[in-house]
């Protein structure tokens, strides 16, 4: 029971972060535009990435789409980590690793409402 409560809180954290970051990308916040712009993302590409991030966050909430949502979210984070490593931005890559591991942990613990 306690594990399901902890996992629910982790899921809510991941969903909140996904919607927050997705909104920042969709709205073209300056820090997002600068970060993704150096990797060749256009404003449209950034907006699409933001929409995909928000969709992934919403998919996490439902047991039937839980794994797909986590997979999309983890893939997006892994993409950012790879770009940062390519730029030799090890600090930036290290900051993303806990969020990547959060999605993997949530998948391992499974959806709390799964039967």
């Amino acid at each position: 029971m306690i594990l399901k409560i902890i996992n629910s809180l982790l899921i809510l954290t991941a969903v909140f972060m996904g919607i927050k970051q997705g909104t920042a990308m969709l709205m073209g916040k300056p820090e997002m535009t600068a970060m993704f712009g150096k990797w060749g993302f256009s404003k449209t590409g950034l907006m699409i990435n933001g929409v995909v991030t928000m969709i992934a966050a919403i998919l996490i909430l439902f047991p039937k789409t839980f794994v797909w949502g986590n997979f999309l979210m983890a893939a997006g984070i892994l993409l950012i980590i790879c770009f940062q490593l390519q730029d030799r931005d090890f600090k930036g890559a290290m900051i993303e690793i806990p969020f990547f591991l959060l999605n993997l942990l949530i998948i391992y613990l499974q959806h709390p409402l799964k039967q």
Side-chain angles (χ1 to χ4, degrees), residues 25-37:
M25 288 182 238
L26 184 62
M27 297 299 154
K29 299 270 180 166
E31 61 272 8
M32 290 293 179
T33 305
M35 181 171 77
F36 282 92

Side-chain angles (χ1 to χ4, degrees), residues 3 33 36-38 47 55 59 67 72-73 92 95-96:
L3 195 58
T33 305
F36 282 92
K38 70 181 177 184
M47 290 173 68
I55 289 171
L59 290 175
V67 173
L72 280 173
M73 184 93 67
I95 290 170
E96 296 292 333

Side-chain angles (χ1 to χ4, degrees), residues 4-22:
K4 285 189 177 199
I5 293 171
I6 292 170
N7 192 29
S8 297
L9 292 173
L10 292 174
I11 288 171
L12 290 176
T13 301
V15 169
F16 172 76
M17 295 299 295
I19 291 175
K20 181 179 172 223
Q21 295 302 320

Side-chain angles (χ1 to χ4, degrees), residues 26-88:
L26 184 62
M27 297 299 154
K29 299 270 180 166
E31 61 272 8
M32 290 293 179
T33 305
M35 181 171 77
F36 282 92
K38 70 181 177 184
W39 300 324
F41 278 71
S42 66
K43 186 170 177 76
T44 305
L46 182 60
M47 290 173 68
I48 291 169
N49 197 27
V51 169
V52 170
T53 301
M54 288 190 293
I55 289 171
I58 293 167
L59 290 175
I60 291 172
L61 293 172
F62 303 100
K64 289 189 178 199
T65 57
F66 173 74
V67 173
W68 285 105
N70 274 294
F71 174 76
L72 280 173
M73 184 93 67
I77 295 167
L78 188 58
L79 176 73
I80 292 170
I81 291 171
C82 289
F83 278 133
Q84 288 173 329
L85 290 174
Q86 184 179 9
D87 288 348
R88 303 226 184 271

